[in-house]
PDB file of all heavy atoms in Angstrom:
ATOM      1  N   ILE J 269     -63.426  -9.127  20.277  1.00 90.00           N
ATOM      2  CA  ILE J 269     -62.756 -10.021  21.229  1.00 90.00           C
ATOM      3  C   ILE J 269     -61.329  -9.533  21.494  1.00 90.00           C
ATOM      4  O   ILE J 269     -60.712  -8.889  20.651  1.00 90.00           O
ATOM      5  CB  ILE J 269     -62.745 -11.484  20.724  1.00 90.00           C
ATOM      6  CG1 ILE J 269     -61.985 -11.601  19.408  1.00 90.00           C
ATOM      7  CG2 ILE J 269     -64.154 -12.026  20.606  1.00 90.00           C
ATOM      8  CD1 ILE J 269     -61.774 -13.031  18.950  1.00 90.00           C
ATOM      9  N   ALA J 271     -58.325 -10.830  21.702  1.00 92.00           N
ATOM     10  CA  ALA J 271     -57.206 -11.209  20.834  1.00 92.00           C
ATOM     11  C   ALA J 271     -57.143 -10.309  19.593  1.00 92.00           C
ATOM     12  O   ALA J 271     -56.070  -9.847  19.197  1.00 92.00           O
ATOM     13  CB  ALA J 271     -57.335 -12.671  20.413  1.00 92.00           C
ATOM     14  N   GLN J 304     -54.121 -15.696  24.735  1.00 89.00           N
ATOM     15  CA  GLN J 304     -55.503 -15.771  24.267  1.00 89.00           C
ATOM     16  C   GLN J 304     -55.789 -17.038  23.463  1.00 89.00           C
ATOM     17  O   GLN J 304     -56.918 -17.241  23.014  1.00 89.00           O
ATOM     18  CB  GLN J 304     -55.827 -14.545  23.409  1.00 89.00           C
ATOM     19  CG  GLN J 304     -55.769 -13.225  24.153  1.00 89.00           C
ATOM     20  CD  GLN J 304     -56.691 -13.199  25.348  1.00 89.00           C
ATOM     21  OE1 GLN J 304     -57.898 -13.385  25.209  1.00 89.00           O
ATOM     22  NE2 GLN J 304     -56.127 -12.987  26.524  1.00 89.00           N
ATOM     23  N   SER J 305     -54.796 -17.892  23.305  1.00 87.00           N
ATOM     24  CA  SER J 305     -55.013 -19.120  22.524  1.00 87.00           C
ATOM     25  C   SER J 305     -56.097 -19.994  23.147  1.00 87.00           C
ATOM     26  O   SER J 305     -56.914 -20.586  22.435  1.00 87.00           O
ATOM     27  CB  SER J 305     -53.702 -19.898  22.403  1.00 87.00           C
ATOM     28  OG  SER J 305     -53.193 -20.230  23.694  1.00 87.00           O
ATOM     29  N   GLY J 306     -56.111 -20.075  24.494  1.00 82.00           N
ATOM     30  CA  GLY J 306     -57.132 -20.884  25.159  1.00 82.00           C
ATOM     31  C   GLY J 306     -58.525 -20.318  24.958  1.00 82.00           C
ATOM     32  O   GLY J 306     -59.485 -21.059  24.692  1.00 82.00           O
ATOM     33  N   SER J 307     -58.661 -18.996  25.074  1.00 82.00           N
ATOM     34  CA  SER J 307     -59.973 -18.365  24.895  1.00 82.00           C
ATOM     35  C   SER J 307     -60.487 -18.570  23.479  1.00 82.00           C
ATOM     36  O   SER J 307     -61.686 -18.789  23.268  1.00 82.00           O
ATOM     37  CB  SER J 307     -59.871 -16.864  25.188  1.00 82.00           C
ATOM     38  OG  SER J 307     -59.472 -16.640  26.513  1.00 82.00           O
ATOM     39  N   ILE J 308     -59.590 -18.490  22.506  1.00 88.00           N
ATOM     40  CA  ILE J 308     -60.014 -18.680  21.118  1.00 88.00           C
ATOM     41  C   ILE J 308     -60.387 -20.135  20.857  1.00 88.00           C
ATOM     42  O   ILE J 308     -61.372 -20.428  20.162  1.00 88.00           O
ATOM     43  CB  ILE J 308     -58.904 -18.219  20.155  1.00 88.00           C
ATOM     44  CG1 ILE J 308     -58.731 -16.702  20.244  1.00 88.00           C
ATOM     45  CG2 ILE J 308     -59.224 -18.629  18.722  1.00 88.00           C
ATOM     46  CD1 ILE J 308     -57.629 -16.157  19.371  1.00 88.00           C
ATOM     47  N   SER J 309     -59.633 -21.052  21.414  1.00 84.00           N
ATOM     48  CA  SER J 309     -59.890 -22.473  21.150  1.00 84.00           C
ATOM     49  C   SER J 309     -61.277 -22.902  21.625  1.00 84.00           C
ATOM     50  O   SER J 309     -61.934 -23.717  20.971  1.00 84.00           O
ATOM     51  CB  SER J 309     -58.815 -23.339  21.811  1.00 84.00           C
ATOM     52  OG  SER J 309     -58.892 -23.252  23.224  1.00 84.00           O
ATOM     53  N   VAL J 310     -61.745 -22.330  22.770  1.00 80.00           N
ATOM     54  CA  VAL J 310     -63.069 -22.731  23.266  1.00 80.00           C
ATOM     55  C   VAL J 310     -64.188 -22.109  22.443  1.00 80.00           C
ATOM     56  O   VAL J 310     -65.337 -22.547  22.535  1.00 80.00           O
ATOM     57  CB  VAL J 310     -63.240 -22.356  24.754  1.00 80.00           C
ATOM     58  CG1 VAL J 310     -62.210 -23.056  25.614  1.00 80.00           C
ATOM     59  CG2 VAL J 310     -63.182 -20.846  24.963  1.00 80.00           C
ATOM     60  N   MET J 311     -63.871 -21.105  21.651  1.00 83.00           N
ATOM     61  CA  MET J 311     -64.882 -20.491  20.795  1.00 83.00           C
ATOM     62  C   MET J 311     -65.082 -21.275  19.499  1.00 83.00           C
ATOM     63  O   MET J 311     -66.076 -21.077  18.801  1.00 83.00           O
ATOM     64  CB  MET J 311     -64.474 -19.052  20.449  1.00 83.00           C
ATOM     65  CG  MET J 311     -64.406 -18.111  21.634  1.00 83.00           C
ATOM     66  SD  MET J 311     -63.781 -16.476  21.162  1.00 83.00           S
ATOM     67  CE  MET J 311     -65.083 -15.902  20.085  1.00 83.00           C
ATOM     68  N   LEU J 312     -64.153 -22.145  19.189  1.00 85.00           N
ATOM     69  CA  LEU J 312     -64.186 -22.857  17.913  1.00 85.00           C
ATOM     70  C   LEU J 312     -65.050 -24.104  17.991  1.00 85.00           C
ATOM     71  O   LEU J 312     -65.000 -24.852  18.968  1.00 85.00           O
ATOM     72  CB  LEU J 312     -62.767 -23.235  17.490  1.00 85.00           C
ATOM     73  CG  LEU J 312     -61.805 -22.069  17.241  1.00 85.00           C
ATOM     74  CD1 LEU J 312     -60.389 -22.592  17.041  1.00 85.00           C
ATOM     75  CD2 LEU J 312     -62.252 -21.260  16.024  1.00 85.00           C
ATOM     76  N   LEU J 339     -52.535 -22.552  18.071  1.00 91.00           N
ATOM     77  CA  LEU J 339     -52.946 -21.158  18.254  1.00 91.00           C
ATOM     78  C   LEU J 339     -51.912 -20.368  19.039  1.00 91.00           C
ATOM     79  O   LEU J 339     -51.636 -19.201  18.741  1.00 91.00           O
ATOM     80  CB  LEU J 339     -54.307 -21.096  18.962  1.00 91.00           C
ATOM     81  CG  LEU J 339     -55.515 -21.503  18.114  1.00 91.00           C
ATOM     82  CD1 LEU J 339     -56.764 -21.604  18.989  1.00 91.00           C
ATOM     83  CD2 LEU J 339     -55.750 -20.500  16.995  1.00 91.00           C
ATOM     84  N   LEU J 343     -50.102 -17.100  17.597  1.00 92.00           N
ATOM     85  CA  LEU J 343     -50.249 -15.808  18.268  1.00 92.00           C
ATOM     86  C   LEU J 343     -48.964 -15.347  18.955  1.00 92.00           C
ATOM     87  O   LEU J 343     -48.989 -14.377  19.722  1.00 92.00           O
ATOM     88  CB  LEU J 343     -51.386 -15.872  19.292  1.00 92.00           C
ATOM     89  CG  LEU J 343     -52.781 -16.118  18.705  1.00 92.00           C
ATOM     90  CD1 LEU J 343     -53.809 -16.279  19.808  1.00 92.00           C
ATOM     91  CD2 LEU J 343     -53.183 -14.982  17.758  1.00 92.00           C
ATOM     92  N   PHE J 357     -54.590 -13.680  10.374  1.00 94.00           N
ATOM     93  CA  PHE J 357     -55.616 -13.798  11.413  1.00 94.00           C
ATOM     94  C   PHE J 357     -56.991 -13.542  10.823  1.00 94.00           C
ATOM     95  O   PHE J 357     -57.943 -14.293  11.066  1.00 94.00           O
ATOM     96  CB  PHE J 357     -55.331 -12.811  12.545  1.00 94.00           C
ATOM     97  CG  PHE J 357     -56.360 -12.820  13.647  1.00 94.00           C
ATOM     98  CD1 PHE J 357     -56.244 -13.689  14.717  1.00 94.00           C
ATOM     99  CD2 PHE J 357     -57.450 -11.958  13.602  1.00 94.00           C
ATOM    100  CE1 PHE J 357     -57.201 -13.702  15.728  1.00 94.00           C
ATOM    101  CE2 PHE J 357     -58.410 -11.957  14.601  1.00 94.00           C
ATOM    102  CZ  PHE J 357     -58.277 -12.835  15.673  1.00 94.00           C
ATOM    103  N   LEU J 361     -58.332 -17.239  10.449  1.00 93.00           N
ATOM    104  CA  LEU J 361     -58.932 -17.533  11.750  1.00 93.00           C
ATOM    105  C   LEU J 361     -60.265 -16.826  11.976  1.00 93.00           C
ATOM    106  O   LEU J 361     -61.227 -17.422  12.478  1.00 93.00           O
ATOM    107  CB  LEU J 361     -57.937 -17.142  12.853  1.00 93.00           C
ATOM    108  CG  LEU J 361     -58.188 -17.688  14.260  1.00 93.00           C
ATOM    109  CD1 LEU J 361     -58.292 -19.202  14.239  1.00 93.00           C
ATOM    110  CD2 LEU J 361     -57.075 -17.235  15.202  1.00 93.00           C
ATOM    111  N   LEU J 365     -64.645 -17.318  13.930  1.00 90.00           N
ATOM    112  CA  LEU J 365     -64.856 -16.720  15.247  1.00 90.00           C
ATOM    113  C   LEU J 365     -65.998 -15.720  15.218  1.00 90.00           C
ATOM    114  O   LEU J 365     -66.297 -15.143  14.173  1.00 90.00           O
ATOM    115  CB  LEU J 365     -63.581 -16.009  15.725  1.00 90.00           C
ATOM    116  CG  LEU J 365     -62.315 -16.844  15.861  1.00 90.00           C
ATOM    117  CD1 LEU J 365     -61.128 -15.936  16.160  1.00 90.00           C
ATOM    118  CD2 LEU J 365     -62.474 -17.897  16.941  1.00 90.00           C
TER     119      LEU J 365
END
Side-chain angles (χ1 to χ4, degrees):
I269 61 172
Q304 296 303 302
S305 59
S307 299
I308 292 178
S309 66
V310 299
M311 296 175 65
L312 298 171
L339 287 171
L343 296 175
F357 178 88
L361 196 55
L365 301 172

